């Protein structure tokens, strides 16, 4: 096989769809990776869930959007909020902080933002990026604890800031919307999995076909106990796993790969009685450390068919500050239900008519461009391209991963059309 794709998630399917006539090998028995949807039947009706929010923010991904031609998509305006000290603030908070009843707090933020002004943003880690973008007051009020909860890291200074972190955390002077004011979502009751299902229509996927080993020297990979030849591999599996699969990997690259880390994830999907709090909301951020979750979203506010009338279909993303294992995460459920009651999202536990949980061993990748750039150069020099959130090992959304896949497909097609183009600068570097 001249070219093979590992992984039938959104990134792998996007590449195969854009490139054309390439085999895709998937270790599991279903499509989509994390872009998974399912239904739960209850006595009050059927609820639809995804694995957390999978909203398609399309503004910077024209190539990805083109792949979705023919898929019915509804456009939505974002209605996002920050829940802080019992009050709801419009998101982004750096544009709504004046809703705070404390005039001294508002005055401090005003002064700090004026001081920041048009200064060039300089930072050496994630904490410095946030402080130098928004000032100490907003950092202390929202950005510090929210990001600690999301990444599961007490010290944000220990996190590097990659490209996508800076995209999401920009100073918004003159911009009241932020980076994601609108999004698309599949029409109907299929859910987010409609996107990988659509992409797969033109793709040849082999299910239950995991890669057990890859040889660089022999240019073979082991699939179902048989060796298959390859010239180029496009991989979307986690970068450390890919390196471990290489049977003749050089030890220095294996050591580097083992240094890469990711946060864990625990998502609680619930079907609940509809309350006034639910109305007109896409999702809500919860920065305060006393809550064991950092974000909550409403599937059925985006697509009403995902919940019976009078009910809501929601997701609750729990903070890895509070768990290290799946069993520890499950123990959080009583606390989460109690906190949802305190806030007014439910009145009592009996309001919950459907509940399913998902545990993710890897959720948000901790970016380390010093390591990943070395690993990607090594892989690409051997004909392997590792892309997507987990393949690139960065924090990205599905539209960014799809766009990256399209760009790689275009690059490889042009390379194949002109084999004489062999300069070092032609090496594909993901999303730069």
């Amino acid at each position: 096989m001249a070219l093979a794709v590992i992984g039938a998630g959104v990134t792998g399917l996007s590449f195969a769809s854009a490139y054309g006539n390439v085999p895709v090998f998937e270790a599991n028995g279903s499509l989509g990776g994390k872009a998974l949807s399912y239904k739960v039947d209850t006595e009050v009706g059927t609820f639809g869930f995804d694995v957390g929010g999978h909203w398609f923010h399309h503004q910077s991904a024209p190539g990805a959007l083109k792949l979705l031609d023919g898929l019915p998509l509804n456009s939505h305006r974002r209605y996002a909020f920050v829940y802080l000290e019992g009050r709801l603030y419009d998101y982004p908070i750096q544009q709504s902080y004046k809703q705070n009843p404390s005039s001294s707090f508002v005055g401090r933020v005003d002064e700090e933002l004026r001081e920041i002004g048009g200064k060039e943003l300089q930072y050496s880690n994630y904490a410095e990026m946030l402080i130098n973008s928004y000032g100490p007051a907003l950092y202390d009020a929202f950005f510090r604890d929210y990001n600690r909860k999301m990444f599961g890291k007490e010290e944000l200074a220990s996190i590097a800031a990659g490209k996508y972190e800076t995209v999401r955390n920009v100073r918004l002077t003159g911009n009241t919307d932020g980076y994601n004011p609108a999004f698309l979502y599949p029409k109907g009751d299929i859910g987010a999995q409609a996107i990988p299902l659509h992409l797969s229509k033109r793709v040849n996927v082999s299910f239950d076909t995991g890669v057990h080993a890859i040889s660089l020297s022999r240019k073979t990979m082991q699939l179902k106990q048989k060796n298959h030849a390859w010239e180029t591999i496009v991989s979307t599996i986690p970068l450390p796993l890919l390196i471990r699969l290489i049977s003749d990997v050089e030890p220095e690259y294996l050591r580097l790969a083992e240094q890469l880390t990711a946060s864990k994830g625990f998502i609680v999907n619930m079907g609940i009685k509809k309350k006034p709090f639910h109305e007109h909301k896409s999702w809500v951020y919860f920065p305060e450390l006393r809550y064991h979750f950092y974000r909550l979203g409403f599937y059925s506010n985006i697509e009403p068919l995902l919940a019976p009338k009078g009910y809501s279909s929601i997701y609750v993303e729990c903070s890895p500050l509070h768990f290290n294992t799946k069993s520890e995460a499950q123990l959080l459920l009583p606390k989460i239900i109690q906190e949802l009651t305190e806030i007014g999202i439910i009145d009592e536990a009996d309001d919950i008519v459907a509940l399913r949980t998902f545990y993710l061993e890897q959720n948000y990748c901790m970016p380390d461009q010093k390591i990943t750039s070395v690993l990607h150069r090594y892989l690409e020099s051997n004909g392997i391209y590792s892309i997507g959130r987990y393949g690139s090992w960065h924090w990205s959304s599905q539209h960014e991963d799809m766009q990256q896949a399209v760009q790689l497909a275009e690059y490889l097609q042009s390379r194949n059309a002109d084999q004489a183009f062999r300069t070092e600068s032609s090496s594909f570097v993901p999303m730069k």
Side-chain angles (χ1 to χ4, degrees):
M1 62 185 75
L3 191 154
V5 178
I6 302 175
V10 167
T11 306
L13 293 171
S14 295
F15 174 86
S17 182
Y19 189 87
N21 194 28
V22 55
V24 178
F25 300 106
E26 171 56 50
N28 298 310
S30 60
L31 293 167
K34 278 186 64 181
L36 172 68
S37 304
Y38 64 99
K39 292 180 172 61
V40 175
D41 293 324
T42 72
E43 61 182 15
V44 301
T46 300
F47 291 87
F49 301 106
D50 300 328
V51 183
H54 284 277
W55 321 131
F56 188 85
H57 301 284
H58 58 286
Q59 292 85 349
S60 60
L65 189 58
K66 187 176 180 180
L67 290 180
L68 301 181
D69 282 350
L71 175 65
L73 296 167
N74 284 334
S75 180
H76 301 272
R77 177 173 174 79
R78 177 202 68 209
Y79 292 101
F81 300 88
V82 175
Y83 187 85
L84 184 61
E85 296 177 342
R87 298 173 59 93
L88 284 170
Y89 294 82
D90 294 331
Y91 173 84
I93 197 169
Q94 57 268 36
Q95 295 291 354
S96 65
Y97 66 90
K98 291 187 179 181
Q99 298 170 5
N100 192 293
S102 170
S103 58
S104 61
F105 171 79
V106 172
R108 286 200 310 275
V109 176
D110 283 342
E111 183 178 350
E112 289 169 3
L113 292 180
R114 278 196 302 270
E115 184 178 342
I116 290 171
K119 289 182 181 178
E120 181 181 356
L121 179 58
Q122 296 181 337
Y123 55 89
S124 60
N125 57 58
Y126 201 86
E128 288 183 3
M129 181 192 71
L130 294 172
I131 294 170
N132 294 345
S133 293
Y134 309 116
L138 278 178
Y139 176 76
D140 290 344
F142 172 74
F143 291 100
R144 179 192 60 204
D145 290 344
Y146 177 78
N147 283 278
R148 288 169 68 191
K149 291 173 70 176
M150 184 180 70
F151 284 113
K153 289 278 191 179
E154 293 285 355
E155 296 296 333
L156 295 181
S158 67
I159 303 175
K163 172 183 177 177
Y164 291 112
E165 286 74 23
T166 55
V167 166
R168 288 170 175 79
N169 292 282
V170 292
R171 291 177 282 185
L172 301 176
T173 51
N175 179 352
T176 59
D177 287 329
Y179 74 95
N180 60 354
F183 58 93
L184 303 173
Y185 190 77
K187 184 179 181 180
D189 65 351
I190 298 177
Q193 199 169 17
I195 288 180
L197 287 173
H198 176 81
L199 294 170
S200 69
K201 291 179 180 178
R202 300 187 299 272
V203 176
N204 176 25
V205 180
S206 296
F207 295 103
D208 300 311
T209 308
V211 177
H212 302 292
I214 298 172
S215 171
L216 300 180
S217 58
R218 296 190 300 272
K219 288 282 187 172
T220 60
M221 61 176 161
Q222 187 179 11
L223 300 166
K224 291 187 174 180
Q225 310 305 316
K226 293 183 179 180
N227 285 326
H228 297 264
W230 57 270
E231 294 178 12
T232 304
I233 290 175
V234 174
S235 174
T236 65
I237 64 176
L239 181 56
L241 173 58
L242 174 62
I243 297 294
R244 288 197 297 270
L245 287 175
I246 299 175
S247 57
D248 49 358
V249 65
E250 296 178 37
E252 63 180 291
Y253 298 110
L254 186 58
R255 286 194 295 269
L256 285 175
E258 295 301 328
Q259 295 177 39
L260 296 175
T261 61
S263 69
K264 300 179 188 299
F266 185 58
I267 298 169
V268 182
N269 283 330
M270 293 182 179
I272 59 178
K273 288 183 180 179
K274 182 168 282 190
K275 304 295 177 188
F277 186 97
H278 307 180
E279 298 293 339
H280 309 298
K281 294 178 179 66
S282 306
W283 62 84
V284 183
Y285 300 94
F286 294 86
E288 293 172 275
L289 294 176
R290 63 191 177 117
Y291 299 119
H292 288 75
F293 45 87
Y294 59 89
R295 183 166 50 200
L296 182 151
F298 297 87
Y299 300 117
S300 51
N301 283 356
I302 309 305
E303 174 49 76
L305 293 177
L306 296 178
K309 186 176 181 180
Y311 289 82
S312 293
S313 175
I314 73 170
Y315 64 90
V316 184
E317 295 178 285
C318 304
S319 171
L321 281 176
H322 304 290
F323 61 86
N324 289 307
T325 65
K326 183 177 181 179
S327 59
E328 290 178 357
Q330 292 285 351
L331 292 174
L332 295 176
L333 283 173
K335 296 177 181 178
I336 292 166
I337 292 171
Q338 178 183 345
E339 291 162 5
L340 294 176
T341 305
E342 293 173 0
I343 294 168
I345 295 165
I346 60 175
D347 286 339
E348 56 185 1
D350 287 345
D351 286 345
I352 304 170
V353 296
L355 191 152
R356 297 289 188 277
T357 63
F358 277 88
Y359 180 79
L360 304 171
E361 192 63 38
Q362 295 166 328
N363 191 16
Y364 292 111
C365 301
M366 304 297 173
D368 192 324
Q369 291 179 302
K370 290 182 180 179
I371 291 179
T372 54
S373 61
V374 172
L375 294 178
H376 283 116
R377 282 196 299 269
Y378 168 66
L379 291 169
E380 290 173 26
S381 70
N382 286 283
I384 300 176
Y385 297 84
S386 185
I387 63 173
R389 172 186 286 193
Y390 300 105
S392 296
W393 208 258
H394 57 206
W395 177 22
S396 54
S397 298
Q398 63 175 337
H399 68 286
E400 292 155 336
D401 294 335
M402 292 173 66
Q403 185 70 21
Q404 185 190 31
V406 171
Q407 289 177 342
L408 177 58
E410 292 172 347
Y411 164 72
L412 292 179
Q413 287 169 335
S414 66
R415 185 195 66 175
N416 293 339
D418 184 7
Q419 289 294 330
F421 187 57
R422 294 292 188 182
T423 64
E424 182 178 348
S425 62
S426 71
S427 178
F428 176 78
V429 180
M431 294 299 286
K432 284 194 176 181

